[in-house]
Amino acid sequence: MGEEEGDHRTEALLEKLSESSYNPSVEPQVRRTGTVWTAMAHIITAVIGSGVLSLAWSVAQLGWVGGPAAIVFFAGVTVVQSSLLADCYISRDEDGHGVVVRNKSYVQAVRLYLGEKSRLFCGFFLSISLFGSSVVYTLTSATSMSAIQKANCYHTEGHGAPACSAAGGGSDGYYMVLFGLAQLVLSQIPDFHNMAWLSIFAAVMSFSYSFIGFGLGAAKVIENGVIKGAIGGIALASTTQKVWRVAQALGDIAFAYPYSLVLLEIEDTLRSPPAESETMKKASRASIAVTTFFYLGCGCFGYAAFGDATPGNLLTGFGFYEPYWLIDLANLCVVLHLLGGYQVYSQPAFALAEQWFGAEASSVNVFRLCYRTAYVAAATAVAVWFPYFNQVVGLIGAFSFWPLAIHFPVEMYLSQAKVAPWTARWLAIRAFSAACLLVCAFASLGSAVGVFGSKES
C-alpha cells in the first residue's frame, strides 16, 4: 500500500521514474473523453516553454539558411518519433489471450517492451534531464530578473546610462540564490505539483511571454526598417569557434521541441474510436506545425531585429526599449512560470528518493527536509558555477534528446510492431536513429566545450 500511495502523490508526468510494479489486470475503469483538440492543447502547452527564448540566438549562430532549416529538421524528427511512440500506447499480452495493456507513462512502456534494465537506463537519463531542467530554470529566472532590473534602470536613468549597462551582470548570482531560496520553500509543500491551477497558471505565463517576445521582435524589425543578419550567421574569429557555436545552437533547438515524456499520458486521455494512436498522430502533426510556425517567428524575428547582437535570451535584448512595462511584464511572466515549472520537474525526483528510503511524502520530516534542500542547493550551485544560459541549455537538450526522444521510442516501436530485422522499414528506422545520434553527439560535444571552455576562460 505504501508504494501505491507514493505513486498517487507523484505527478503524472513523472510517475514514470518510480513505476515498477504496474499490473494491467487490476487497472480501474477510466472514462476517457479527450479529443484531437484537447490533445493539441496539452502538446502545445508542454512544448512551448523557456526553450523558445534561446531560438533567436540559435538562428543567429546558424544563419538565415541553417537556422530555419534546423528548426524545421527538429520539427520533422519530433513528428516521426511522436508517431512511433504513439503506436506503443496499446499492447497485448504475450500469452495470446489478447488482453489490452495501456501504457500510461513513458517508463512504464519502456519496462513493458524493453525490460527492467532498460527502465533503469531510461531512469538515469530522465533523472539527468530533470535535474538539468532545474538548472536551466534557475539560470533563466536569474537572467529575467536581471533584465527587469536593467529595464527599470534605463527607464529611470535614461537610455545608454553606464550604470544601467553594468546592472545585472554581477547580480545574476544573487538572483539565482534568491530563486533557489524560493524553491527551498516551495519544495517542502506536500503535493504542490498536483495542484490543478499550477499547470493552468504556467501555461498562461508561458504563452504570455512567448507572444510578447514574438511581438517585440516583429515591432523592432519594423522600427529598424531593415532585416539584419547574414546567410552564414554570426562570423567568429576561427572556424573551430564557429563549429562549436553551431553545435550549441543545435542543442538549444533540441531542448525546445520534445514532449515524449508526456505523450503517452496525453494519449491515455483520448476517447476511442477512432483509435487513440490515430488521434494522437493527428494532434501531434497539427501541434508541431503550429509550434514550428511560432518558433520560426520568434527565432527569425529576433535575429532580424538584432543581427550579430542577438542576445542569448531574447527578452533580455529589449532592456532599453519602450514600453519598459511590457518588457518587465514578459520577464515577470518568465519568472512566475518557472517558479512553478521548477517544481513540476523536481517533484518526481523527490518522490523517487522518498520511496526508496521509505520517507513519508505527505509530511515534513528530517529526510525530506535534508534531501530536498540538498537537491535545490545542488541545482542552484551548478547554475551559479556555470552561468552560461545557451551552452547549458544546449548541453541538456542535446544530451537527453537522443536517448529519451529517439532511442527508446524507436526500440519500443520495433518491439511493439515486431518489425523484422534487415527489412526496408527496419533499415529506415535504424538510419533515422543513427542520424539523430550523430547530430546529438555533435551538439553535446559542442555544448560541453561551450560550458566547460567558458568556465576555464
Side-chain angles (χ1 to χ4, degrees):
M1 287 296 293
E3 181 177 354
E4 185 178 19
E5 291 171 1
D7 287 342
H8 284 297
R9 296 188 192 102
T10 309
E11 194 218 272
L13 167 63
L14 305 168
E15 277 181 339
K16 21 185 122 27
L17 275 176
S18 54
E19 245 174 24
S20 59
S21 58
Y22 173 73
N23 185 355
S25 65
V26 296
E27 177 189 354
Q29 293 296 319
V30 177
R31 185 169 178 264
R32 298 172 174 86
T33 60
T35 66
V36 65
W37 295 106
T38 61
M40 285 179 60
H42 286 310
I43 293 169
I44 293 174
T45 301
V47 173
I48 295 180
S50 60
V52 71
L53 301 176
S54 66
L55 292 179
W57 182 89
S58 299
V59 174
Q61 310 310 314
L62 298 169
W64 280 120
V65 175
I71 292 176
V72 172
F73 168 78
F74 277 100
V77 168
T78 304
V79 168
V80 173
Q81 66 90 10
S82 63
S83 178
L84 298 178
L85 188 56
D87 283 334
C88 298
Y89 172 63
I90 294 291
S91 179
R92 295 186 180 275
D93 281 352
E94 297 291 339
D95 59 9
H97 294 297
V99 177
V100 171
V101 178
R102 297 179 183 271
N103 293 295
K104 298 181 179 182
S105 72
Y106 185 87
V107 168
Q108 179 185 316
V110 171
R111 181 173 182 269
L112 178 68
Y113 288 114
L114 306 179
E116 183 65 20
K117 290 184 179 179
S118 292
R119 187 189 73 85
L120 295 174
F121 186 55
C122 174
F124 166 76
F125 280 101
L126 185 55
S127 298
I128 295 296
S129 177
L130 296 176
F131 181 79
S133 295
S134 298
V135 175
V136 169
Y137 279 19
T138 302
L139 285 170
T140 309
S141 297
T143 57
S144 292
M145 286 187 276
S146 179
I148 293 174
Q149 176 190 359
K150 187 177 292 187
N152 291 340
C153 183
Y154 279 128
H155 180 73
T156 304
E157 303 295 333
H159 297 170
C164 298
S165 299
S171 61
D172 279 3
Y174 164 78
Y175 287 127
M176 291 179 202
V177 173
L178 188 64
F179 183 80
L181 290 175
Q183 294 302 333
L184 284 180
V185 176
L186 295 176
S187 295
Q188 303 303 325
I189 300 176
D191 295 328
F192 183 88
H193 52 290
N194 279 330
M195 295 181 182
W197 60 267
L198 179 61
S199 294
I200 299 174
F201 179 78
V204 171
M205 293 297 102
S206 64
F207 272 104
S208 297
Y209 67 70
S210 298
F211 275 112
I212 291 173
F214 189 114
L216 288 173
K220 179 60 179 168
V221 172
I222 296 173
E223 177 187 325
N224 292 340
V226 63
I227 296 176
K228 297 183 179 181
I231 295 297
I234 297 175
L236 296 176
S238 70
T239 303
T240 301
Q241 288 180 323
K242 181 66 176 179
V243 169
W244 294 142
R245 283 287 187 89
V246 167
Q248 293 162 27
L250 292 175
D252 281 15
I253 297 173
F255 182 84
Y257 261 114
Y259 59 98
S260 54
L261 298 183
V262 295
L263 185 146
L264 292 178
E265 286 160 339
I266 295 173
E267 192 168 349
D268 190 50
T269 68
L270 301 177
R271 68 189 180 198
S272 63
E276 296 91 343
S277 61
E278 294 304 315
T279 303
M280 193 66 200
K281 291 176 184 179
K282 184 183 298 184
S284 293
R285 290 192 295 268
S287 300
I288 294 303
V290 172
T291 302
T292 301
F293 174 80
F294 191 75
Y295 279 5
L296 286 170
C298 287
C300 294
F301 273 127
Y303 183 39
F306 294 104
D308 287 355
T310 301
N313 181 331
L314 177 60
L315 292 178
T316 64
F318 299 100
F320 53 88
Y321 294 104
E322 298 289 347
Y324 83 99
W325 61 265
L326 184 61
I327 299 163
D328 282 358
L329 175 62
N331 282 293
L332 180 61
C333 287
V334 173
V335 176
L336 293 176
H337 170 219
L338 299 185
L339 276 171
Y342 186 105
Q343 289 301 308
V344 170
Y345 283 94
S346 59
Q347 286 285 350
F350 299 159
L352 177 64
E354 287 160 6
Q355 285 184 15
W356 277 351
F357 290 96
E360 176 60 43
S362 62
S363 63
V364 176
N365 57 45
V366 174
F367 175 81
R368 174 183 177 144
L369 180 65
C370 293
Y371 176 77
R372 296 188 176 203
T373 299
Y375 181 97
V376 174
T380 305
V382 171
V384 171
W385 192 251
F386 298 102
Y388 315 113
F389 175 71
N390 296 98
Q391 293 88 338
V392 172
V393 170
L395 181 59
I396 298 301
F399 181 77
S400 61
F401 184 87
W402 183 78
L404 296 178
I406 305 299
H407 172 68
F408 289 115
V410 162
E411 296 301 323
M412 286 190 288
Y413 175 80
L414 292 175
S415 174
Q416 188 272 345
K418 297 179 173 58
V419 179
W422 304 109
T423 59
R425 183 164 56 149
W426 186 90
L427 289 172
I429 293 174
R430 289 296 186 191
F432 167 75
S433 179
C436 292
L437 174 60
L438 292 176
V439 172
C440 291
F442 171 63
S444 296
L445 180 60
S447 298
V449 170
V451 171
F452 300 106
S454 298
K455 189 62 185 177
E456 292 177 359
S457 61

